[in-house]
Amino acid sequence: MPDAHDATPYDALLLLSFGGPEGPDDVVPFLENVTRGRGIPKERLKEVGRHYFLFGGISPINAQNRALLDALRKDFAEHGLGLPVYWGNRNWAPYLTDTLRELVADGRRRVLVLATSAYASYSGCRQYRENLADALAALEAEGLEPPRIDKLRHYFNHPGFVEPMIDGVLRSLADLPEAVRDGAHIAFTTHSVPTSAADTSGPVEAHGEGGAYVEEHLDVARLIADAVRERTGVDHPWRLVYQSRSGAPHIPWLEPDICDHLEERHAAGAPAVVMAPIGFVSDHMEVLYDLDTEAKDKADELGLPVRRSATVGADPRFVAAIRELVLERAAAESGRPVERCALGALGASHDLCPVGCCPARTPRPAAAGTDSPYA
């Protein structure tokens, strides 16, 4: 890797996340932000938000982002990387536009963005880029000169992201009763998306059944399953499954759902299941509710032993990976030699999202790509 002190030409890192409510009174306004423009009645949003109310109206995602921020700042300081780290959300405070105003007020001109989504998809990449473009346009409308924004590449196959998940699966297997451990099935889970969005995820050449979204998750699942086999001597059966569907029933989404999968595995005689949420960076609401609550309740109903492995969160290896990705991109922008770390069959992802990558149903400007209006 290049000199750990040199992040030139960048002068800030922005952690960009989804956001979440921090109390009961925040739940419906938060969901109104998430669903803006869809005309969903407030009463329906209260029903949708019931899982937040089970946890006091508090999403854990903000606390987890604060932990990651603290870890990044500490790691950067320990490695002599004098890059300030900011935080902005798409749907709740601190809002992205407010954070960009702060960056401008602090004199930041070249900003790298770390999105808390590791894979290619519309909702996991381009929608963040659209939100960035909206925020930059808002700054321009206020007479401010927006900073130049670049986004770190997808990190789904970076060793610092994959290795903590391998350890999580190994710990979950070890926690199962010995009698069922070797026969345990591994269910790798990620957020379901409409099949039409999956099929057009990634660059145009990756489009097809499942697109880059499914291909990338399958590559990570294979990496973890292979590592588990190498370290335990046991070849556990596995499958990529989905969770957290939220769309209209008539629209096809990726399947099978985790609860349906647990029923199928139980009927097939699986003695136990480890649920490994490889599609999520931290243990936020879709992990705590959809896996730890709904899926666990389904498994208890079936009498099926299950364990849920941890997400990477603020694992020091993931934090170090982010530092490496920052330095990698800085070196590339400065024309310095760079080594791109990636495991699996797909290699390192692109720095700039190409035209046609993860397209929206209705075209909108998106920052930090080859088609960005903010070069």
Side-chain angles (χ1 to χ4, degrees):
M1 295 300 297
D3 182 357
H5 294 79
D6 193 0
T8 306
Y10 298 105
D11 53 19
L13 175 68
L14 169 61
L15 175 65
L16 177 55
S17 193
F18 192 80
E22 301 208 71
D25 294 340
D26 296 343
V27 172
V28 171
F30 163 72
L31 292 173
E32 287 175 332
N33 288 342
V34 174
T35 62
R36 183 176 290 114
R38 301 182 201 173
I40 299 176
K42 184 170 290 189
E43 290 306 311
R44 172 60 179 155
L45 293 179
K46 289 180 181 177
E47 180 184 344
V48 170
R50 68 189 186 282
H51 51 289
Y52 287 102
F53 293 117
L54 290 175
F55 295 88
I58 300 171
S59 169
I61 193 170
N62 290 329
Q64 290 159 7
N65 281 327
R66 292 184 184 102
L68 181 57
L69 281 169
D70 289 345
L72 284 167
R73 288 165 177 158
K74 180 180 178 182
D75 178 272
F76 285 8
E78 289 176 347
H79 289 84
L81 180 57
L83 196 68
V85 186
Y86 295 73
W87 172 33
N89 289 325
R90 288 169 48 188
N91 298 298
W92 202 249
Y95 288 103
L96 171 60
T97 303
D98 293 336
T99 302
L100 287 180
R101 287 193 193 97
E102 182 184 357
L103 282 156
V104 170
D106 290 346
R108 311 302 177 191
R109 302 306 311 149
R110 289 291 302 272
V111 179
L112 262 177
V113 172
L114 165 68
T116 54
S117 177
Y119 300 84
S121 71
Y122 171 74
S123 58
C125 183
R126 186 173 179 91
Q127 193 169 17
Y128 281 92
R129 294 176 50 226
E130 290 175 352
N131 294 148
L132 282 164
D134 290 343
L136 292 170
L139 264 59
E140 278 193 327
E142 295 168 8
L144 299 174
E145 183 180 354
R148 175 170 168 179
I149 299 288
D150 290 326
K151 180 177 174 291
L152 289 174
R153 66 175 171 91
H154 301 305
Y155 47 84
F156 64 93
N157 56 3
H158 193 287
F161 186 68
V162 175
E163 288 167 2
M165 294 191 292
I166 294 170
D167 288 347
V169 171
L170 289 169
R171 286 193 298 269
S172 292
L173 286 167
D175 191 49
L176 284 168
E178 187 175 356
V180 300
R181 188 179 303 149
D182 286 355
H185 174 92
I186 305 174
F188 294 104
T189 78
T190 190
H191 206 300
S192 185
V193 298
T195 56
S196 58
D199 294 347
T200 56
S201 58
V204 172
E205 60 269 20
H207 293 180
E209 186 175 356
Y213 186 71
V214 171
E215 183 181 35
E216 290 170 1
H217 281 87
L218 286 173
D219 203 41
V220 172
R222 290 188 195 99
L223 284 167
I224 297 172
D226 288 348
V228 168
R229 183 182 64 252
E230 291 168 5
R231 298 181 196 185
T232 66
V234 179
D235 191 6
H236 291 272
W238 62 270
R239 184 170 183 182
L240 177 63
V241 302
Y242 303 93
Q243 61 174 90
S244 312
R245 174 184 172 138
S246 59
H250 68 280
I251 298 175
W253 283 52
L254 293 174
E255 297 177 334
D257 176 77
I258 179 61
C259 290
D260 294 338
H261 183 65
L262 292 175
E263 288 186 339
E264 187 272 334
R265 286 292 82 208
H266 178 257
V273 173
V274 168
M275 300 182 293
I278 62 173
F280 304 91
V281 171
S282 64
D283 288 3
H284 54 65
M285 187 58 71
E286 286 160 318
V287 175
L288 292 187
Y289 183 76
D290 296 335
L291 293 183
D292 293 355
T293 305
E294 280 195 332
K296 179 63 166 55
D297 287 350
K298 172 59 69 175
D300 289 346
E301 173 191 319
L302 296 168
L304 178 67
V306 295
R307 297 292 186 272
R308 195 269 293 171
S309 65
T311 52
V312 297
D315 186 288
R317 291 166 291 184
F318 180 49
V319 174
I322 295 169
R323 170 170 38 84
E324 290 175 7
L325 288 166
V326 167
L327 295 170
E328 171 194 294
R329 184 62 181 273
E333 289 293 309
S334 300
R336 301 191 299 270
V338 61
E339 177 183 352
R340 299 178 181 270
C341 294
L343 300 174
L346 300 179
S349 185
H350 47 259
D351 281 339
L352 284 173
C353 293
V355 175
C357 191
C358 305
R361 285 178 293 178
T362 302
R364 292 177 54 197
T370 54
D371 56 351
S372 171
Y374 298 97

PDB file of all heavy atoms in Angstrom, residues 43 67 70 175 177 211 232 242-243 252 288 308 321 333:
ATOM      1  N   GLU A  43     -51.103   6.059   8.769  1.00  0.00           N
ATOM      2  CA  GLU A  43     -51.523   4.873   9.515  1.00  0.00           C
ATOM      3  C   GLU A  43     -50.799   3.627   9.025  1.00  0.00           C
ATOM      4  O   GLU A  43     -50.460   2.746   9.809  1.00  0.00           O
ATOM      5  CB  GLU A  43     -53.040   4.690   9.415  1.00  0.00           C
ATOM      6  CG  GLU A  43     -53.838   5.736  10.171  1.00  0.00           C
ATOM      7  CD  GLU A  43     -53.405   5.836  11.633  1.00  0.00           C
ATOM      8  OE1 GLU A  43     -53.309   4.777  12.294  1.00  0.00           O
ATOM      9  OE2 GLU A  43     -53.168   6.960  12.098  1.00  0.00           O
ATOM     10  N   ALA A  67     -20.014   4.155  16.500  1.00  0.00           N
ATOM     11  CA  ALA A  67     -18.909   3.268  16.864  1.00  0.00           C
ATOM     12  C   ALA A  67     -17.903   3.144  15.725  1.00  0.00           C
ATOM     13  O   ALA A  67     -16.676   3.142  15.947  1.00  0.00           O
ATOM     14  CB  ALA A  67     -19.451   1.896  17.253  1.00  0.00           C
ATOM     15  N   ASP A  70     -15.876   6.405  15.495  1.00  0.00           N
ATOM     16  CA  ASP A  70     -14.840   6.451  16.534  1.00  0.00           C
ATOM     17  C   ASP A  70     -13.667   5.543  16.167  1.00  0.00           C
ATOM     18  O   ASP A  70     -12.498   5.917  16.344  1.00  0.00           O
ATOM     19  CB  ASP A  70     -15.432   6.030  17.878  1.00  0.00           C
ATOM     20  CG  ASP A  70     -16.385   7.062  18.463  1.00  0.00           C
ATOM     21  OD1 ASP A  70     -16.364   8.216  17.983  1.00  0.00           O
ATOM     22  OD2 ASP A  70     -17.149   6.720  19.387  1.00  0.00           O
ATOM     23  N   ASP A 175     -20.906 -22.755  18.514  1.00  0.00           N
ATOM     24  CA  ASP A 175     -21.898 -22.546  19.574  1.00  0.00           C
ATOM     25  C   ASP A 175     -23.068 -23.519  19.484  1.00  0.00           C
ATOM     26  O   ASP A 175     -23.854 -23.643  20.425  1.00  0.00           O
ATOM     27  CB  ASP A 175     -22.416 -21.104  19.510  1.00  0.00           C
ATOM     28  CG  ASP A 175     -23.242 -20.719  20.718  1.00  0.00           C
ATOM     29  OD1 ASP A 175     -22.781 -20.972  21.846  1.00  0.00           O
ATOM     30  OD2 ASP A 175     -24.349 -20.184  20.543  1.00  0.00           O
ATOM     31  N   PRO A 177     -24.963 -27.187  19.479  1.00  0.00           N
ATOM     32  CA  PRO A 177     -24.689 -28.464  20.155  1.00  0.00           C
ATOM     33  C   PRO A 177     -23.866 -29.381  19.252  1.00  0.00           C
ATOM     34  O   PRO A 177     -24.070 -29.438  18.030  1.00  0.00           O
ATOM     35  CB  PRO A 177     -26.097 -29.030  20.402  1.00  0.00           C
ATOM     36  CG  PRO A 177     -26.988 -27.834  20.422  1.00  0.00           C
ATOM     37  CD  PRO A 177     -26.401 -26.861  19.442  1.00  0.00           C
ATOM     38  N   GLY A 211     -28.012 -10.242 -11.986  1.00  0.00           N
ATOM     39  CA  GLY A 211     -27.022  -9.198 -12.164  1.00  0.00           C
ATOM     40  C   GLY A 211     -25.846  -9.317 -11.218  1.00  0.00           C
ATOM     41  O   GLY A 211     -25.558 -10.378 -10.656  1.00  0.00           O
ATOM     42  N   THR A 232     -12.384 -26.300   9.365  1.00  0.00           N
ATOM     43  CA  THR A 232     -13.063 -27.277  10.225  1.00  0.00           C
ATOM     44  C   THR A 232     -12.993 -28.690   9.676  1.00  0.00           C
ATOM     45  O   THR A 232     -13.250 -29.647  10.413  1.00  0.00           O
ATOM     46  CB  THR A 232     -14.539 -26.908  10.407  1.00  0.00           C
ATOM     47  OG1 THR A 232     -15.223 -27.020   9.139  1.00  0.00           O
ATOM     48  CG2 THR A 232     -14.691 -25.484  10.957  1.00  0.00           C
ATOM     49  N   TYR A 242     -32.849 -14.676   1.189  1.00  0.00           N
ATOM     50  CA  TYR A 242     -33.174 -13.255   1.241  1.00  0.00           C
ATOM     51  C   TYR A 242     -34.090 -12.935   2.411  1.00  0.00           C
ATOM     52  O   TYR A 242     -34.757 -13.809   2.963  1.00  0.00           O
ATOM     53  CB  TYR A 242     -33.790 -12.833  -0.096  1.00  0.00           C
ATOM     54  CG  TYR A 242     -32.873 -13.127  -1.256  1.00  0.00           C
ATOM     55  CD1 TYR A 242     -32.979 -14.338  -1.959  1.00  0.00           C
ATOM     56  CD2 TYR A 242     -31.852 -12.256  -1.598  1.00  0.00           C
ATOM     57  CE1 TYR A 242     -32.099 -14.636  -2.986  1.00  0.00           C
ATOM     58  CE2 TYR A 242     -30.965 -12.549  -2.628  1.00  0.00           C
ATOM     59  CZ  TYR A 242     -31.091 -13.736  -3.323  1.00  0.00           C
ATOM     60  OH  TYR A 242     -30.215 -14.043  -4.329  1.00  0.00           O
ATOM     61  N   GLN A 243     -34.124 -11.664   2.767  1.00  0.00           N
ATOM     62  CA  GLN A 243     -34.914 -11.205   3.904  1.00  0.00           C
ATOM     63  C   GLN A 243     -35.369  -9.778   3.658  1.00  0.00           C
ATOM     64  O   GLN A 243     -34.953  -9.139   2.700  1.00  0.00           O
ATOM     65  CB  GLN A 243     -34.078 -11.266   5.184  1.00  0.00           C
ATOM     66  CG  GLN A 243     -32.843 -10.375   5.135  1.00  0.00           C
ATOM     67  CD  GLN A 243     -32.091 -10.328   6.436  1.00  0.00           C
ATOM     68  OE1 GLN A 243     -31.199 -11.130   6.665  1.00  0.00           O
ATOM     69  NE2 GLN A 243     -32.468  -9.390   7.315  1.00  0.00           N
ATOM     70  N   PRO A 252     -42.338  -9.214  -8.420  1.00  0.00           N
ATOM     71  CA  PRO A 252     -41.395 -10.293  -8.072  1.00  0.00           C
ATOM     72  C   PRO A 252     -40.147  -9.748  -7.374  1.00  0.00           C
ATOM     73  O   PRO A 252     -39.531  -8.787  -7.847  1.00  0.00           O
ATOM     74  CB  PRO A 252     -41.038 -10.918  -9.429  1.00  0.00           C
ATOM     75  CG  PRO A 252     -42.089 -10.445 -10.380  1.00  0.00           C
ATOM     76  CD  PRO A 252     -42.526  -9.104  -9.881  1.00  0.00           C
ATOM     77  N   LEU A 288     -31.704  -7.322  13.571  1.00  0.00           N
ATOM     78  CA  LEU A 288     -32.292  -7.580  14.883  1.00  0.00           C
ATOM     79  C   LEU A 288     -33.730  -8.059  14.795  1.00  0.00           C
ATOM     80  O   LEU A 288     -34.155  -8.929  15.564  1.00  0.00           O
ATOM     81  CB  LEU A 288     -32.239  -6.315  15.743  1.00  0.00           C
ATOM     82  CG  LEU A 288     -30.871  -5.815  16.195  1.00  0.00           C
ATOM     83  CD1 LEU A 288     -31.030  -4.665  17.179  1.00  0.00           C
ATOM     84  CD2 LEU A 288     -30.068  -6.937  16.839  1.00  0.00           C
ATOM     85  N   ARG A 308     -27.185 -17.086  14.742  1.00  0.00           N
ATOM     86  CA  ARG A 308     -27.009 -15.993  13.791  1.00  0.00           C
ATOM     87  C   ARG A 308     -25.604 -15.424  13.978  1.00  0.00           C
ATOM     88  O   ARG A 308     -25.230 -14.991  15.056  1.00  0.00           O
ATOM     89  CB  ARG A 308     -28.068 -14.918  14.027  1.00  0.00           C
ATOM     90  CG  ARG A 308     -28.204 -13.921  12.861  1.00  0.00           C
ATOM     91  CD  ARG A 308     -27.329 -12.716  12.997  1.00  0.00           C
ATOM     92  NE  ARG A 308     -27.740 -11.874  14.108  1.00  0.00           N
ATOM     93  CZ  ARG A 308     -27.051 -10.836  14.558  1.00  0.00           C
ATOM     94  NH1 ARG A 308     -25.866 -10.536  14.003  1.00  0.00           N
ATOM     95  NH2 ARG A 308     -27.457 -10.131  15.588  1.00  0.00           N
ATOM     96  N   ALA A 321      -9.440  -2.056   6.602  1.00  0.00           N
ATOM     97  CA  ALA A 321      -9.771  -2.161   5.177  1.00  0.00           C
ATOM     98  C   ALA A 321     -10.235  -0.820   4.618  1.00  0.00           C
ATOM     99  O   ALA A 321      -9.878  -0.449   3.488  1.00  0.00           O
ATOM    100  CB  ALA A 321     -10.849  -3.220   4.969  1.00  0.00           C
ATOM    101  N   GLU A 333      -5.950   8.313  -7.806  1.00  0.00           N
ATOM    102  CA  GLU A 333      -6.258   9.670  -8.252  1.00  0.00           C
ATOM    103  C   GLU A 333      -4.998  10.486  -8.479  1.00  0.00           C
ATOM    104  O   GLU A 333      -4.995  11.408  -9.293  1.00  0.00           O
ATOM    105  CB  GLU A 333      -7.154  10.360  -7.220  1.00  0.00           C
ATOM    106  CG  GLU A 333      -8.570   9.832  -7.160  1.00  0.00           C
ATOM    107  CD  GLU A 333      -9.368  10.127  -8.422  1.00  0.00           C
ATOM    108  OE1 GLU A 333      -9.398  11.304  -8.848  1.00  0.00           O
ATOM    109  OE2 GLU A 333      -9.944   9.186  -8.986  1.00  0.00           O
TER     110      GLU A 333
END
